[in-house]
Amino acid sequence: MHQEEARVRLLDAAEELFYARGIQAVGMDEIRAASGVSLKRLYQSFPSKHELVESYLRHRDERWRAALAGYVKEHAATPEDAPAAVFDWLHTWFTAPGFRGCAFINAFGELGAVSEGVARAARDHKDAVHAYVSGLVRELPAGDPAALAQQLALLIDGAITTATVSGTPDAALRARDAAVTLVKAAMPAGTGMRARAPENTRT
């Protein structure tokens, strides 16, 4: 097995186990067994659990944001549709088997106080999501795009947290309604926005 293949298999196993059960509840032996990678190869790839955890978070960040951006690109017919499409995608995620909330908030809650690497990875993820939303907002003639992007980012985090704690996927749809209202309010008078029903197709 090549080093890169081993690394990918380890990261995939770590993502599945850490996300489902929590970082501190999963040992390196479990990740080795789930990945099918030898213990020697595991420690060649990640000399410590701390390094594996931070790499897992970076790996998940890339996958999560790529899935979101891909969905929005496919389903938003116009720039005005894009913010609502973000929340449509959140709804498909919330209804998927194994949804356990935000991996980065979860990891920060477990280890953020004692691990600068975990705290930094969580902050970087939130900053990247905010930057993505800011990019969507810049395509709109919004009066205060910075404020609108911040509001939408807060709605995203609020929907994720609510869905996690309450077990209610429809938190995404309520946040979507709020997002549409915010976008309309930020647009110049006379600017029309097409209404569009949320899509519930899973990705």
Side-chain angles (χ1 to χ4, degrees):
M1 184 186 302
H2 295 301
Q3 188 72 21
E4 186 56 31
E5 180 187 354
R7 183 180 176 85
V8 170
R9 290 173 66 170
L10 288 163
L11 286 172
D12 287 345
E15 180 171 7
E16 181 177 352
L17 292 170
F18 287 155
Y19 183 66
R21 293 171 47 199
I23 293 168
Q24 297 183 87
V26 177
M28 295 291 268
D29 281 344
E30 290 181 85
I31 292 169
R32 179 203 59 75
S35 66
V37 174
S38 70
L39 196 61
K40 179 180 178 180
R41 180 73 76 173
L42 187 161
Y43 282 106
Q44 286 175 340
S45 301
F46 302 101
S48 69
K49 184 177 179 181
H50 174 82
E51 291 180 57
L52 176 59
V53 169
E54 187 171 348
S55 294
Y56 141 68
L57 291 171
R58 301 291 180 183
H59 182 63
R60 185 172 179 87
D61 167 63
E62 292 177 3
R63 287 161 54 104
W64 193 95
R65 289 189 294 109
L68 169 60
Y71 182 96
V72 172
K73 183 176 181 180
E74 180 179 354
H75 291 85
T78 69
E80 289 80 6
D81 292 331
V86 169
F87 294 90
D88 292 342
W89 181 80
L90 289 178
H91 187 255
T92 68
W93 177 38
F94 295 170
T95 58
F99 171 70
R100 295 290 184 274
C102 176
F104 304 89
I105 293 175
N106 296 346
F108 187 88
E110 280 196 83
L111 297 170
V114 297
S115 171
E116 175 55 31
V118 167
R120 185 170 55 249
R123 286 193 296 268
D124 288 348
H125 170 74
K126 295 302 180 183
D127 287 346
V129 173
H130 184 271
Y132 172 71
V133 173
S134 295
L136 298 181
V137 169
R138 282 197 297 270
E139 297 297 317
L140 306 175
D144 189 346
L148 179 58
Q150 184 65 41
Q151 291 166 342
L152 294 176
L154 288 171
L155 279 176
I156 290 170
D157 278 339
I160 295 171
T161 301
T162 300
T164 305
V165 174
S166 69
T168 307
D170 283 358
L173 304 183
R174 305 291 78 76
R176 181 189 193 277
D177 293 342
V180 169
T181 299
L182 286 170
V183 171
K184 286 181 178 179
M187 303 284 269
T191 302
M193 288 186 64
R194 300 185 302 106
R196 186 170 66 92
E199 299 190 28
N200 296 328
T201 304
R202 290 188 180 181
T203 56

